[in-house]
Amino acid sequence: MSLETKVKGKNLKPIDAQSPTVRKMDFSGLDKISDHYVANNSFVTHNVNAYHVLFPEGERFFIRSVKAFSDQVTDPGLQNRVKAFIGQEVQHGKEHEKALEILEAQGRPIRAMLKFYVWTAFDFLVPVLEFLFGKKLKLSVTAGLEHYTASMGEVVLRYRLYDNAEGEMRNLLLWHACEEIEHKSVAYDVLQTISKSYVLRIFGFLIASLIFWGYSIFLQHWFLLADKKVGIRKYFQDLNGSRPIGRVLYPSLASMALLYFKPGFHPDQTGGYDLANAALATI
């Protein structure tokens, strides 16, 4: 399996869930984005900004959680998928860190947000969970969060929500969504290799749900409160303007989240691979 495909002329290797590819990207035009680069809407933009903060450290957590059990994975196909998963997550972190540099240059309180996020999530919450429930729970939380990111990616692609973003930010979000779909079953399959406990899977997913929604909403509103261009009037104008996107995104995410509770659930059941292939070709 080829673990690296360099971008040249935007000719990217197609999506293949059984043999994922690490695509090294370079979204060098991010410095040209405006303050409210998604649909000229502060509410939606700062929701995306919240994920720029969450992803780099979050993906390093995913890598650590999966690597902790990689020596127990004996299936050669899954071993290769784990390697590609790690490679893709490393690249995602790098590109979102570039976005954070741009946001910091715009005057956003990125360092304070990262300090809060890292301390509460990785210096406090994760160690407590590991102490109480062991490393398997961290893997279960990772599998649950991967279901959320892949589900969000599929909704974003299905309804072409990425087209609301400007320039290279559009391409970054599209690429990330495609690769989340491509590797969405890796952490889940490692978890199933280690333990097939339904209770462990669902407990991890419930914690993942609190993390996914809690941090994203909190950080979104931190961005909004710190945005000097957003007053009370614009906040409610943009909240109202975001409703068409919200009416598509949130019901779809909720229905896909409920699928995770099915005893026989597997991420492959949600599909999305053809959708990701078609979207990736537009970068």
Side-chain angles (χ1 to χ4, degrees), residues 202-216:
I202 297 307
F203 185 37
F205 186 68
L206 292 175
I207 294 172
S209 299
L210 291 173
I211 292 171
F212 183 83
W213 295 110
Y215 276 107
S216 63

Side-chain angles (χ1 to χ4, degrees), residues 91-108:
Q91 294 306 312
H92 296 171
K94 287 180 178 179
E95 295 304 323
H96 283 284
E97 283 177 334
K98 290 181 184 177
L100 288 179
E101 291 176 3
I102 302 303
L103 294 177
E104 189 168 29
Q106 289 181 345
R108 314 297 183 191

Side-chain angles (χ1 to χ4, degrees), residues 148-166:
Y148 270 115
T149 55
S151 297
M152 179 175 283
E154 184 174 340
V155 176
V156 164
L157 297 187
R158 187 173 303 282
Y159 296 98
R160 298 185 64 90
L161 299 182
Y162 55 84
D163 278 341
N164 290 295
E166 298 173 2

Side-chain angles (χ1 to χ4, degrees), residues 4 14 19 23 31 46 50 74 96 102-103 119 135 137 158 182 184 207 241:
E4 181 175 317
S19 183
R23 302 167 184 85
D31 58 333
H46 289 318
T74 57
H96 283 284
I102 302 303
L103 294 177
W119 187 86
K135 292 182 179 180
L137 182 61
R158 187 173 303 282
E182 185 176 36
K184 65 181 176 178
I207 294 172

